[in-house]
Amino acid sequence: MPEPDQATPFRVQPITTRRGPDPKQDRAARTRMLVLTAAAELFTAHGFRHTSVKDVAERVEMTKGAVYFHFPTKEALAVAVVEQHYARWPVLLAAVTAEGHGPLETAVRLLEGAATAFRDDIVVQAGARLQIERPQIDAELPTPYVDWTRLLATLLVRAEAAGELRKGVCPQAAARSLVAAFFGTQHISDVLHERADIVERWSETAELLFLAIRAAPTP
Ligand code: LUB
């Protein structure tokens, strides 16, 4: 299975709080992550418009000035949260790729992992809500859906080359369908159950979709 870095279009680096040479920088990175996580919790619960920098500062027991030191505006905070939403996916892809499955099974496990992250990861949840609220946010947010579509299309082209795809299935069309189905599944699960059942809901949708995408088992 070729290396993931050629497949993954997600270009955002995760914020690292690993101890580096400069303790001051470490502390700054940890504080930045603390503020970003608090903002993610508030954006997920109340949305962009009903969350103030004062709310974020109070949640992390810092002054507004200290928050502005790391994020000059509430918009910059929203952009950083959405970027960290997408920074989750190369990490997930590297972990799934390391399991050494074929391209189609890699796509299956990637989306299973994404469903779990949408259920359990507050930064992923906040990024999804802010992407819905894009019209309210006066800032350049990453374009949604396109990176997942490109990643899945790359994997499905490889699946086709490996004979894993049902004859006549177009990899790009299948990738767009998977992204649309995942987006819809996570959104409905969010509105109805705050994503408590997203893993089960995605599993039943994925079973149907991959039944249509996967090559018929050779007798
Ligand atoms: C994914 C969402 C919700 C696509 O890629 C994205 O932007 C997505 C948030 O905007 O679903 C499906 C994997």
Side-chain angles (χ1 to χ4, degrees):
M1 169 79 185
E3 283 318 302
D5 56 358
Q6 294 140 16
T8 184
F10 301 105
R11 293 268 172 269
V12 184
Q13 293 312 313
I15 291 178
T16 170
T17 54
R18 259 199 314 283
R19 294 197 173 287
D22 171 350
K24 247 168 108 254
Q25 245 186 4
D26 288 355
R27 211 174 25 260
R30 280 198 302 283
T31 306
R32 191 177 159 77
M33 203 44 174
L34 205 67
V35 171
L36 190 142
T37 306
E41 289 159 359
L42 291 165
F43 286 145
T44 298
H46 311 298
F48 179 78
R49 193 167 276 161
H50 301 297
T51 296
S52 68
V53 172
K54 180 168 170 297
D55 298 331
V56 176
E58 280 166 5
R59 181 171 280 247
V60 288
E61 294 161 354
M62 290 165 61
T63 63
K64 277 174 65 176
V67 172
Y68 281 129
F69 171 77
H70 292 281
F71 303 98
T73 63
K74 186 169 77 166
E75 285 73 14
L77 204 37
V79 170
V81 167
V82 173
E83 287 182 343
Q84 287 312 306
H85 164 111
Y86 291 105
R88 297 308 202 240
W89 309 135
V91 178
L92 172 66
L93 177 63
V96 171
T97 300
E99 295 168 6
H101 309 288
L104 194 63
E105 192 54 28
T106 297
V108 169
R109 305 228 175 181
L110 261 179
L111 290 166
E112 280 172 4
T116 304
F118 271 82
R119 182 192 63 197
D120 303 340
D121 185 328
I122 194 69
V123 172
V124 168
Q125 295 164 5
R129 176 161 185 169
L130 292 169
Q131 284 288 35
I132 295 282
E133 296 178 351
R134 297 168 64 85
Q136 300 169 21
I137 305 171
D138 180 16
E140 192 63 35
L141 293 179
T143 307
Y145 322 124
V146 292
D147 287 343
W148 267 107
T149 304
R150 197 178 312 132
L151 170 59
L152 292 169
T154 303
L155 288 167
L156 295 179
V157 164
R158 290 185 190 138
E160 184 179 41
E164 297 180 341
L165 227 55
R166 184 179 296 274
K167 288 262 162 299
V169 169
C170 162
Q172 291 72 22
R176 288 188 292 269
S177 305
L178 287 167
V179 168
F182 187 96
F183 176 80
T185 302
Q186 65 81 29
H187 188 71
I188 295 169
S189 175
D190 180 30
V191 172
L192 298 181
H193 307 292
E194 292 184 345
R195 295 196 186 90
D197 67 343
I198 185 178
V199 171
E200 294 76 15
R201 295 289 77 74
W202 176 248
S203 155
E204 61 194 21
T205 304
E207 192 184 338
L208 278 174
L209 285 172
F210 282 105
L211 207 56
I213 293 170
R214 192 189 301 278
T218 41

